[in-house]
Amino acid sequence: MKTILAVLAKGDAKDRLAVIADIATLAGVSVATVTAGVLTLVAGAGKVDVENLLGAIIFSLFGLAIGCCIVAAFIWVVVQLSKPWKAPRGVQSLLICAAWLIFFIIVLYAVSFFYSLISSLRVLG
């Protein structure tokens, strides 16, 4: 991450363009992956129209944005917890483990919520 920020801040135009192209490629693949899953479920119901298509795309992008925010918040918390403290080292390690555990619980809950939401949409469709 520091390398990417250094290239964006101090690199020449060619290096900055390469970094932006890489980020755009990763974002495009992420959007396509998330959207394709929801579109598959919409198409499986047999009702593919403009409303369902836009709803699936908006739902997918909203979910992707929330997921990115959660991951960014998790990374920030772990970085802050990894800085040296005056507290004993064991306390810091336990807090980092707790942060990882909370992150895994959030991911599992999100998957469960998404599955229940999609399965209820399939029943209604």
PDB file of all heavy atoms in Angstrom, residues 61-98:
ATOM      1  N   LEU A  61     -23.896  -3.425  -6.213  1.00  0.00           N
ATOM      2  CA  LEU A  61     -22.937  -2.349  -5.969  1.00  0.00           C
ATOM      3  C   LEU A  61     -23.018  -1.836  -4.539  1.00  0.00           C
ATOM      4  O   LEU A  61     -21.991  -1.520  -3.927  1.00  0.00           O
ATOM      5  CB  LEU A  61     -23.164  -1.211  -6.962  1.00  0.00           C
ATOM      6  CG  LEU A  61     -22.860  -1.539  -8.424  1.00  0.00           C
ATOM      7  CD1 LEU A  61     -23.197  -0.353  -9.304  1.00  0.00           C
ATOM      8  CD2 LEU A  61     -21.425  -1.963  -8.602  1.00  0.00           C
ATOM      9  N   PHE A  62     -24.220  -1.777  -3.989  1.00  0.00           N
ATOM     10  CA  PHE A  62     -24.383  -1.362  -2.598  1.00  0.00           C
ATOM     11  C   PHE A  62     -23.709  -2.369  -1.656  1.00  0.00           C
ATOM     12  O   PHE A  62     -23.005  -1.989  -0.725  1.00  0.00           O
ATOM     13  CB  PHE A  62     -25.870  -1.219  -2.272  1.00  0.00           C
ATOM     14  CG  PHE A  62     -26.148  -0.653  -0.921  1.00  0.00           C
ATOM     15  CD1 PHE A  62     -25.804   0.645  -0.612  1.00  0.00           C
ATOM     16  CD2 PHE A  62     -26.762  -1.429   0.053  1.00  0.00           C
ATOM     17  CE1 PHE A  62     -26.062   1.175   0.642  1.00  0.00           C
ATOM     18  CE2 PHE A  62     -27.015  -0.919   1.299  1.00  0.00           C
ATOM     19  CZ  PHE A  62     -26.665   0.384   1.601  1.00  0.00           C
ATOM     20  N   GLY A  63     -23.921  -3.642  -1.922  1.00  0.00           N
ATOM     21  CA  GLY A  63     -23.272  -4.675  -1.112  1.00  0.00           C
ATOM     22  C   GLY A  63     -21.758  -4.638  -1.234  1.00  0.00           C
ATOM     23  O   GLY A  63     -21.032  -4.804  -0.247  1.00  0.00           O
ATOM     24  N   LEU A  64     -21.259  -4.400  -2.439  1.00  0.00           N
ATOM     25  CA  LEU A  64     -19.812  -4.307  -2.643  1.00  0.00           C
ATOM     26  C   LEU A  64     -19.236  -3.104  -1.902  1.00  0.00           C
ATOM     27  O   LEU A  64     -18.179  -3.212  -1.280  1.00  0.00           O
ATOM     28  CB  LEU A  64     -19.503  -4.219  -4.140  1.00  0.00           C
ATOM     29  CG  LEU A  64     -18.040  -4.168  -4.522  1.00  0.00           C
ATOM     30  CD1 LEU A  64     -17.350  -5.473  -4.125  1.00  0.00           C
ATOM     31  CD2 LEU A  64     -17.887  -3.926  -6.005  1.00  0.00           C
ATOM     32  N   ALA A  65     -19.939  -1.980  -1.931  1.00  0.00           N
ATOM     33  CA  ALA A  65     -19.466  -0.786  -1.225  1.00  0.00           C
ATOM     34  C   ALA A  65     -19.428  -1.017   0.283  1.00  0.00           C
ATOM     35  O   ALA A  65     -18.467  -0.637   0.957  1.00  0.00           O
ATOM     36  CB  ALA A  65     -20.361   0.403  -1.555  1.00  0.00           C
ATOM     37  N   ILE A  66     -20.457  -1.648   0.817  1.00  0.00           N
ATOM     38  CA  ILE A  66     -20.475  -1.942   2.258  1.00  0.00           C
ATOM     39  C   ILE A  66     -19.348  -2.905   2.610  1.00  0.00           C
ATOM     40  O   ILE A  66     -18.655  -2.724   3.616  1.00  0.00           O
ATOM     41  CB  ILE A  66     -21.844  -2.505   2.679  1.00  0.00           C
ATOM     42  CG1 ILE A  66     -22.892  -1.395   2.625  1.00  0.00           C
ATOM     43  CG2 ILE A  66     -21.781  -3.105   4.086  1.00  0.00           C
ATOM     44  CD1 ILE A  66     -24.294  -1.870   2.886  1.00  0.00           C
ATOM     45  N   GLY A  67     -19.145  -3.915   1.773  1.00  0.00           N
ATOM     46  CA  GLY A  67     -18.052  -4.863   2.014  1.00  0.00           C
ATOM     47  C   GLY A  67     -16.693  -4.189   2.003  1.00  0.00           C
ATOM     48  O   GLY A  67     -15.839  -4.471   2.857  1.00  0.00           O
ATOM     49  N   CYS A  68     -16.474  -3.280   1.056  1.00  0.00           N
ATOM     50  CA  CYS A  68     -15.195  -2.557   0.993  1.00  0.00           C
ATOM     51  C   CYS A  68     -14.996  -1.680   2.224  1.00  0.00           C
ATOM     52  O   CYS A  68     -13.887  -1.599   2.758  1.00  0.00           O
ATOM     53  CB  CYS A  68     -15.131  -1.720  -0.270  1.00  0.00           C
ATOM     54  SG  CYS A  68     -14.953  -2.685  -1.776  1.00  0.00           S
ATOM     55  N   CYS A  69     -16.059  -1.047   2.689  1.00  0.00           N
ATOM     56  CA  CYS A  69     -15.963  -0.207   3.893  1.00  0.00           C
ATOM     57  C   CYS A  69     -15.632  -1.042   5.129  1.00  0.00           C
ATOM     58  O   CYS A  69     -14.823  -0.636   5.964  1.00  0.00           O
ATOM     59  CB  CYS A  69     -17.255   0.562   4.107  1.00  0.00           C
ATOM     60  SG  CYS A  69     -17.540   1.852   2.893  1.00  0.00           S
ATOM     61  N   ILE A  70     -16.231  -2.219   5.227  1.00  0.00           N
ATOM     62  CA  ILE A  70     -15.954  -3.088   6.372  1.00  0.00           C
ATOM     63  C   ILE A  70     -14.513  -3.565   6.347  1.00  0.00           C
ATOM     64  O   ILE A  70     -13.822  -3.559   7.372  1.00  0.00           O
ATOM     65  CB  ILE A  70     -16.941  -4.271   6.400  1.00  0.00           C
ATOM     66  CG1 ILE A  70     -18.335  -3.769   6.791  1.00  0.00           C
ATOM     67  CG2 ILE A  70     -16.480  -5.364   7.370  1.00  0.00           C
ATOM     68  CD1 ILE A  70     -19.420  -4.821   6.681  1.00  0.00           C
ATOM     69  N   VAL A  71     -14.033  -3.958   5.179  1.00  0.00           N
ATOM     70  CA  VAL A  71     -12.642  -4.416   5.071  1.00  0.00           C
ATOM     71  C   VAL A  71     -11.680  -3.269   5.361  1.00  0.00           C
ATOM     72  O   VAL A  71     -10.673  -3.453   6.060  1.00  0.00           O
ATOM     73  CB  VAL A  71     -12.382  -5.036   3.687  1.00  0.00           C
ATOM     74  CG1 VAL A  71     -10.905  -5.284   3.460  1.00  0.00           C
ATOM     75  CG2 VAL A  71     -13.157  -6.336   3.541  1.00  0.00           C
ATOM     76  N   ALA A  72     -11.961  -2.070   4.860  1.00  0.00           N
ATOM     77  CA  ALA A  72     -11.102  -0.918   5.127  1.00  0.00           C
ATOM     78  C   ALA A  72     -11.079  -0.587   6.617  1.00  0.00           C
ATOM     79  O   ALA A  72     -10.018  -0.299   7.181  1.00  0.00           O
ATOM     80  CB  ALA A  72     -11.570   0.282   4.319  1.00  0.00           C
ATOM     81  N   ALA A  73     -12.228  -0.648   7.262  1.00  0.00           N
ATOM     82  CA  ALA A  73     -12.287  -0.384   8.704  1.00  0.00           C
ATOM     83  C   ALA A  73     -11.504  -1.444   9.471  1.00  0.00           C
ATOM     84  O   ALA A  73     -10.779  -1.127  10.423  1.00  0.00           O
ATOM     85  CB  ALA A  73     -13.733  -0.344   9.179  1.00  0.00           C
ATOM     86  N   PHE A  74     -11.635  -2.699   9.046  1.00  0.00           N
ATOM     87  CA  PHE A  74     -10.894  -3.777   9.713  1.00  0.00           C
ATOM     88  C   PHE A  74      -9.389  -3.565   9.573  1.00  0.00           C
ATOM     89  O   PHE A  74      -8.641  -3.715  10.538  1.00  0.00           O
ATOM     90  CB  PHE A  74     -11.309  -5.129   9.135  1.00  0.00           C
ATOM     91  CG  PHE A  74     -10.440  -6.256   9.577  1.00  0.00           C
ATOM     92  CD1 PHE A  74     -10.515  -6.736  10.872  1.00  0.00           C
ATOM     93  CD2 PHE A  74      -9.530  -6.832   8.719  1.00  0.00           C
ATOM     94  CE1 PHE A  74      -9.706  -7.766  11.301  1.00  0.00           C
ATOM     95  CE2 PHE A  74      -8.722  -7.860   9.126  1.00  0.00           C
ATOM     96  CZ  PHE A  74      -8.810  -8.331  10.432  1.00  0.00           C
ATOM     97  N   ILE A  75      -8.937  -3.220   8.360  1.00  0.00           N
ATOM     98  CA  ILE A  75      -7.504  -2.996   8.142  1.00  0.00           C
ATOM     99  C   ILE A  75      -7.020  -1.834   8.995  1.00  0.00           C
ATOM    100  O   ILE A  75      -5.944  -1.910   9.614  1.00  0.00           O
ATOM    101  CB  ILE A  75      -7.224  -2.750   6.645  1.00  0.00           C
ATOM    102  CG1 ILE A  75      -7.444  -4.047   5.864  1.00  0.00           C
ATOM    103  CG2 ILE A  75      -5.810  -2.228   6.420  1.00  0.00           C
ATOM    104  CD1 ILE A  75      -7.397  -3.878   4.363  1.00  0.00           C
ATOM    105  N   TRP A  76      -7.810  -0.766   9.083  1.00  0.00           N
ATOM    106  CA  TRP A  76      -7.411   0.374   9.901  1.00  0.00           C
ATOM    107  C   TRP A  76      -7.291  -0.017  11.369  1.00  0.00           C
ATOM    108  O   TRP A  76      -6.333   0.364  12.049  1.00  0.00           O
ATOM    109  CB  TRP A  76      -8.420   1.507   9.722  1.00  0.00           C
ATOM    110  CG  TRP A  76      -8.059   2.727  10.513  1.00  0.00           C
ATOM    111  CD1 TRP A  76      -7.146   3.684  10.174  1.00  0.00           C
ATOM    112  CD2 TRP A  76      -8.571   3.101  11.790  1.00  0.00           C
ATOM    113  NE1 TRP A  76      -7.070   4.631  11.151  1.00  0.00           N
ATOM    114  CE2 TRP A  76      -7.935   4.304  12.157  1.00  0.00           C
ATOM    115  CE3 TRP A  76      -9.512   2.539  12.650  1.00  0.00           C
ATOM    116  CZ2 TRP A  76      -8.210   4.943  13.352  1.00  0.00           C
ATOM    117  CZ3 TRP A  76      -9.779   3.184  13.833  1.00  0.00           C
ATOM    118  CH2 TRP A  76      -9.132   4.373  14.179  1.00  0.00           C
ATOM    119  N   VAL A  77      -8.264  -0.796  11.871  1.00  0.00           N
ATOM    120  CA  VAL A  77      -8.232  -1.220  13.280  1.00  0.00           C
ATOM    121  C   VAL A  77      -7.009  -2.091  13.550  1.00  0.00           C
ATOM    122  O   VAL A  77      -6.308  -1.900  14.549  1.00  0.00           O
ATOM    123  CB  VAL A  77      -9.539  -1.955  13.653  1.00  0.00           C
ATOM    124  CG1 VAL A  77      -9.405  -2.679  14.983  1.00  0.00           C
ATOM    125  CG2 VAL A  77     -10.697  -0.983  13.703  1.00  0.00           C
ATOM    126  N   VAL A  78      -6.721  -3.028  12.656  1.00  0.00           N
ATOM    127  CA  VAL A  78      -5.568  -3.913  12.875  1.00  0.00           C
ATOM    128  C   VAL A  78      -4.262  -3.124  12.821  1.00  0.00           C
ATOM    129  O   VAL A  78      -3.339  -3.375  13.611  1.00  0.00           O
ATOM    130  CB  VAL A  78      -5.572  -5.075  11.857  1.00  0.00           C
ATOM    131  CG1 VAL A  78      -4.275  -5.834  11.880  1.00  0.00           C
ATOM    132  CG2 VAL A  78      -6.726  -6.014  12.160  1.00  0.00           C
ATOM    133  N   VAL A  79      -4.168  -2.158  11.910  1.00  0.00           N
ATOM    134  CA  VAL A  79      -2.959  -1.328  11.844  1.00  0.00           C
ATOM    135  C   VAL A  79      -2.806  -0.523  13.134  1.00  0.00           C
ATOM    136  O   VAL A  79      -1.702  -0.419  13.679  1.00  0.00           O
ATOM    137  CB  VAL A  79      -2.998  -0.405  10.609  1.00  0.00           C
ATOM    138  CG1 VAL A  79      -1.956   0.694  10.694  1.00  0.00           C
ATOM    139  CG2 VAL A  79      -2.807  -1.218   9.344  1.00  0.00           C
ATOM    140  N   GLN A  80      -3.894   0.035  13.643  1.00  0.00           N
ATOM    141  CA  GLN A  80      -3.818   0.805  14.884  1.00  0.00           C
ATOM    142  C   GLN A  80      -3.455  -0.084  16.072  1.00  0.00           C
ATOM    143  O   GLN A  80      -2.703   0.329  16.953  1.00  0.00           O
ATOM    144  CB  GLN A  80      -5.153   1.523  15.154  1.00  0.00           C
ATOM    145  CG  GLN A  80      -5.510   2.564  14.121  1.00  0.00           C
ATOM    146  CD  GLN A  80      -4.468   3.657  13.992  1.00  0.00           C
ATOM    147  OE1 GLN A  80      -3.921   4.125  14.976  1.00  0.00           O
ATOM    148  NE2 GLN A  80      -4.194   4.047  12.764  1.00  0.00           N
ATOM    149  N   LEU A  81      -3.980  -1.306  16.074  1.00  0.00           N
ATOM    150  CA  LEU A  81      -3.661  -2.217  17.173  1.00  0.00           C
ATOM    151  C   LEU A  81      -2.241  -2.766  17.078  1.00  0.00           C
ATOM    152  O   LEU A  81      -1.679  -3.203  18.082  1.00  0.00           O
ATOM    153  CB  LEU A  81      -4.655  -3.383  17.204  1.00  0.00           C
ATOM    154  CG  LEU A  81      -6.067  -3.056  17.658  1.00  0.00           C
ATOM    155  CD1 LEU A  81      -6.963  -4.277  17.528  1.00  0.00           C
ATOM    156  CD2 LEU A  81      -6.070  -2.542  19.090  1.00  0.00           C
ATOM    157  N   SER A  82      -1.664  -2.764  15.879  1.00  0.00           N
ATOM    158  CA  SER A  82      -0.320  -3.300  15.698  1.00  0.00           C
ATOM    159  C   SER A  82       0.770  -2.321  16.092  1.00  0.00           C
ATOM    160  O   SER A  82       1.927  -2.715  16.228  1.00  0.00           O
ATOM    161  CB  SER A  82      -0.112  -3.716  14.235  1.00  0.00           C
ATOM    162  OG  SER A  82      -1.011  -4.739  13.894  1.00  0.00           O
ATOM    163  N   LYS A  83       0.429  -1.070  16.276  1.00  0.00           N
ATOM    164  CA  LYS A  83       1.432  -0.091  16.713  1.00  0.00           C
ATOM    165  C   LYS A  83       1.849  -0.403  18.141  1.00  0.00           C
ATOM    166  O   LYS A  83       1.066  -0.930  18.925  1.00  0.00           O
ATOM    167  CB  LYS A  83       0.852   1.317  16.609  1.00  0.00           C
ATOM    168  CG  LYS A  83       0.630   1.759  15.188  1.00  0.00           C
ATOM    169  CD  LYS A  83       0.071   3.153  15.147  1.00  0.00           C
ATOM    170  CE  LYS A  83      -0.146   3.572  13.700  1.00  0.00           C
ATOM    171  NZ  LYS A  83      -0.730   4.915  13.617  1.00  0.00           N
ATOM    172  N   PRO A  84       3.099  -0.091  18.498  1.00  0.00           N
ATOM    173  CA  PRO A  84       3.570  -0.401  19.860  1.00  0.00           C
ATOM    174  C   PRO A  84       2.771   0.337  20.939  1.00  0.00           C
ATOM    175  O   PRO A  84       2.427   1.503  20.784  1.00  0.00           O
ATOM    176  CB  PRO A  84       5.023   0.085  19.860  1.00  0.00           C
ATOM    177  CG  PRO A  84       5.373   0.399  18.463  1.00  0.00           C
ATOM    178  CD  PRO A  84       4.118   0.519  17.674  1.00  0.00           C
ATOM    179  N   TRP A  85       2.508  -0.390  22.005  1.00  0.00           N
ATOM    180  CA  TRP A  85       1.784   0.152  23.145  1.00  0.00           C
ATOM    181  C   TRP A  85       2.682   0.135  24.370  1.00  0.00           C
ATOM    182  O   TRP A  85       3.727  -0.482  24.390  1.00  0.00           O
ATOM    183  CB  TRP A  85       0.585  -0.713  23.477  1.00  0.00           C
ATOM    184  CG  TRP A  85      -0.545  -0.669  22.528  1.00  0.00           C
ATOM    185  CD1 TRP A  85      -0.613  -0.048  21.327  1.00  0.00           C
ATOM    186  CD2 TRP A  85      -1.806  -1.295  22.716  1.00  0.00           C
ATOM    187  NE1 TRP A  85      -1.816  -0.247  20.761  1.00  0.00           N
ATOM    188  CE2 TRP A  85      -2.578  -1.007  21.584  1.00  0.00           C
ATOM    189  CE3 TRP A  85      -2.357  -2.061  23.723  1.00  0.00           C
ATOM    190  CZ2 TRP A  85      -3.879  -1.472  21.430  1.00  0.00           C
ATOM    191  CZ3 TRP A  85      -3.634  -2.513  23.583  1.00  0.00           C
ATOM    192  CH2 TRP A  85      -4.390  -2.211  22.442  1.00  0.00           C
ATOM    193  N   LYS A  86       2.187   0.766  25.414  1.00  0.00           N
ATOM    194  CA  LYS A  86       2.870   0.668  26.708  1.00  0.00           C
ATOM    195  C   LYS A  86       2.333  -0.513  27.513  1.00  0.00           C
ATOM    196  O   LYS A  86       2.921  -0.911  28.493  1.00  0.00           O
ATOM    197  CB  LYS A  86       2.701   1.967  27.501  1.00  0.00           C
ATOM    198  CG  LYS A  86       3.405   3.141  26.868  1.00  0.00           C
ATOM    199  CD  LYS A  86       3.258   4.379  27.704  1.00  0.00           C
ATOM    200  CE  LYS A  86       3.987   5.528  27.033  1.00  0.00           C
ATOM    201  NZ  LYS A  86       3.868   6.776  27.757  1.00  0.00           N
ATOM    202  N   ALA A  87       1.217  -1.061  27.053  1.00  0.00           N
ATOM    203  CA  ALA A  87       0.608  -2.215  27.724  1.00  0.00           C
ATOM    204  C   ALA A  87       1.450  -3.463  27.427  1.00  0.00           C
ATOM    205  O   ALA A  87       2.247  -3.484  26.486  1.00  0.00           O
ATOM    206  CB  ALA A  87      -0.816  -2.418  27.220  1.00  0.00           C
ATOM    207  N   PRO A  88       1.257  -4.510  28.224  1.00  0.00           N
ATOM    208  CA  PRO A  88       1.980  -5.760  27.954  1.00  0.00           C
ATOM    209  C   PRO A  88       1.664  -6.308  26.557  1.00  0.00           C
ATOM    210  O   PRO A  88       0.583  -6.096  26.021  1.00  0.00           O
ATOM    211  CB  PRO A  88       1.464  -6.715  29.034  1.00  0.00           C
ATOM    212  CG  PRO A  88       0.908  -5.840  30.096  1.00  0.00           C
ATOM    213  CD  PRO A  88       0.446  -4.593  29.427  1.00  0.00           C
ATOM    214  N   ARG A  89       2.618  -7.007  25.975  1.00  0.00           N
ATOM    215  CA  ARG A  89       2.489  -7.516  24.613  1.00  0.00           C
ATOM    216  C   ARG A  89       1.320  -8.510  24.491  1.00  0.00           C
ATOM    217  O   ARG A  89       0.682  -8.586  23.453  1.00  0.00           O
ATOM    218  CB  ARG A  89       3.799  -8.191  24.199  1.00  0.00           C
ATOM    219  CG  ARG A  89       3.823  -8.705  22.800  1.00  0.00           C
ATOM    220  CD  ARG A  89       3.981  -7.574  21.817  1.00  0.00           C
ATOM    221  NE  ARG A  89       4.026  -8.125  20.471  1.00  0.00           N
ATOM    222  CZ  ARG A  89       3.691  -7.453  19.400  1.00  0.00           C
ATOM    223  NH1 ARG A  89       3.331  -6.215  19.505  1.00  0.00           N
ATOM    224  NH2 ARG A  89       3.745  -8.010  18.218  1.00  0.00           N
ATOM    225  N   GLY A  90       1.040  -9.262  25.537  1.00  0.00           N
ATOM    226  CA  GLY A  90      -0.045 -10.232  25.491  1.00  0.00           C
ATOM    227  C   GLY A  90      -1.407  -9.582  25.313  1.00  0.00           C
ATOM    228  O   GLY A  90      -2.271 -10.110  24.614  1.00  0.00           O
ATOM    229  N   VAL A  91      -1.598  -8.414  25.922  1.00  0.00           N
ATOM    230  CA  VAL A  91      -2.867  -7.704  25.797  1.00  0.00           C
ATOM    231  C   VAL A  91      -3.068  -7.265  24.351  1.00  0.00           C
ATOM    232  O   VAL A  91      -4.153  -7.411  23.776  1.00  0.00           O
ATOM    233  CB  VAL A  91      -2.899  -6.485  26.749  1.00  0.00           C
ATOM    234  CG1 VAL A  91      -4.125  -5.633  26.504  1.00  0.00           C
ATOM    235  CG2 VAL A  91      -2.824  -6.936  28.192  1.00  0.00           C
ATOM    236  N   GLN A  92      -2.015  -6.776  23.733  1.00  0.00           N
ATOM    237  CA  GLN A  92      -2.093  -6.331  22.349  1.00  0.00           C
ATOM    238  C   GLN A  92      -2.402  -7.513  21.419  1.00  0.00           C
ATOM    239  O   GLN A  92      -3.225  -7.403  20.510  1.00  0.00           O
ATOM    240  CB  GLN A  92      -0.782  -5.662  21.956  1.00  0.00           C
ATOM    241  CG  GLN A  92      -0.812  -4.987  20.624  1.00  0.00           C
ATOM    242  CD  GLN A  92       0.464  -4.206  20.359  1.00  0.00           C
ATOM    243  OE1 GLN A  92       1.382  -4.185  21.165  1.00  0.00           O
ATOM    244  NE2 GLN A  92       0.516  -3.567  19.210  1.00  0.00           N
ATOM    245  N   SER A  93      -1.770  -8.635  21.649  1.00  0.00           N
ATOM    246  CA  SER A  93      -2.028  -9.824  20.822  1.00  0.00           C
ATOM    247  C   SER A  93      -3.461 -10.316  20.989  1.00  0.00           C
ATOM    248  O   SER A  93      -4.099 -10.718  20.005  1.00  0.00           O
ATOM    249  CB  SER A  93      -1.061 -10.951  21.198  1.00  0.00           C
ATOM    250  OG  SER A  93       0.262 -10.562  20.961  1.00  0.00           O
ATOM    251  N   LEU A  94      -3.974 -10.288  22.217  1.00  0.00           N
ATOM    252  CA  LEU A  94      -5.352 -10.698  22.447  1.00  0.00           C
ATOM    253  C   LEU A  94      -6.347  -9.773  21.742  1.00  0.00           C
ATOM    254  O   LEU A  94      -7.348 -10.234  21.181  1.00  0.00           O
ATOM    255  CB  LEU A  94      -5.661 -10.750  23.942  1.00  0.00           C
ATOM    256  CG  LEU A  94      -5.056 -11.927  24.704  1.00  0.00           C
ATOM    257  CD1 LEU A  94      -5.313 -11.763  26.193  1.00  0.00           C
ATOM    258  CD2 LEU A  94      -5.638 -13.225  24.203  1.00  0.00           C
ATOM    259  N   LEU A  95      -6.073  -8.471  21.751  1.00  0.00           N
ATOM    260  CA  LEU A  95      -6.962  -7.537  21.061  1.00  0.00           C
ATOM    261  C   LEU A  95      -6.930  -7.738  19.548  1.00  0.00           C
ATOM    262  O   LEU A  95      -7.961  -7.642  18.883  1.00  0.00           O
ATOM    263  CB  LEU A  95      -6.596  -6.101  21.415  1.00  0.00           C
ATOM    264  CG  LEU A  95      -7.074  -5.633  22.778  1.00  0.00           C
ATOM    265  CD1 LEU A  95      -6.562  -4.228  23.077  1.00  0.00           C
ATOM    266  CD2 LEU A  95      -8.586  -5.649  22.837  1.00  0.00           C
ATOM    267  N   ILE A  96      -5.766  -8.041  18.997  1.00  0.00           N
ATOM    268  CA  ILE A  96      -5.678  -8.315  17.561  1.00  0.00           C
ATOM    269  C   ILE A  96      -6.445  -9.589  17.228  1.00  0.00           C
ATOM    270  O   ILE A  96      -7.176  -9.642  16.229  1.00  0.00           O
ATOM    271  CB  ILE A  96      -4.205  -8.389  17.109  1.00  0.00           C
ATOM    272  CG1 ILE A  96      -3.573  -6.993  17.176  1.00  0.00           C
ATOM    273  CG2 ILE A  96      -4.088  -8.953  15.694  1.00  0.00           C
ATOM    274  CD1 ILE A  96      -2.092  -6.964  16.904  1.00  0.00           C
ATOM    275  N   CYS A  97      -6.308 -10.615  18.064  1.00  0.00           N
ATOM    276  CA  CYS A  97      -7.083 -11.851  17.854  1.00  0.00           C
ATOM    277  C   CYS A  97      -8.584 -11.578  17.948  1.00  0.00           C
ATOM    278  O   CYS A  97      -9.375 -12.122  17.173  1.00  0.00           O
ATOM    279  CB  CYS A  97      -6.665 -12.915  18.865  1.00  0.00           C
ATOM    280  SG  CYS A  97      -5.041 -13.595  18.569  1.00  0.00           S
ATOM    281  N   ALA A  98      -8.982 -10.738  18.891  1.00  0.00           N
ATOM    282  CA  ALA A  98     -10.397 -10.396  19.017  1.00  0.00           C
ATOM    283  C   ALA A  98     -10.894  -9.641  17.790  1.00  0.00           C
ATOM    284  O   ALA A  98     -12.015  -9.864  17.322  1.00  0.00           O
ATOM    285  CB  ALA A  98     -10.619  -9.557  20.276  1.00  0.00           C
TER     286      ALA A  98
END
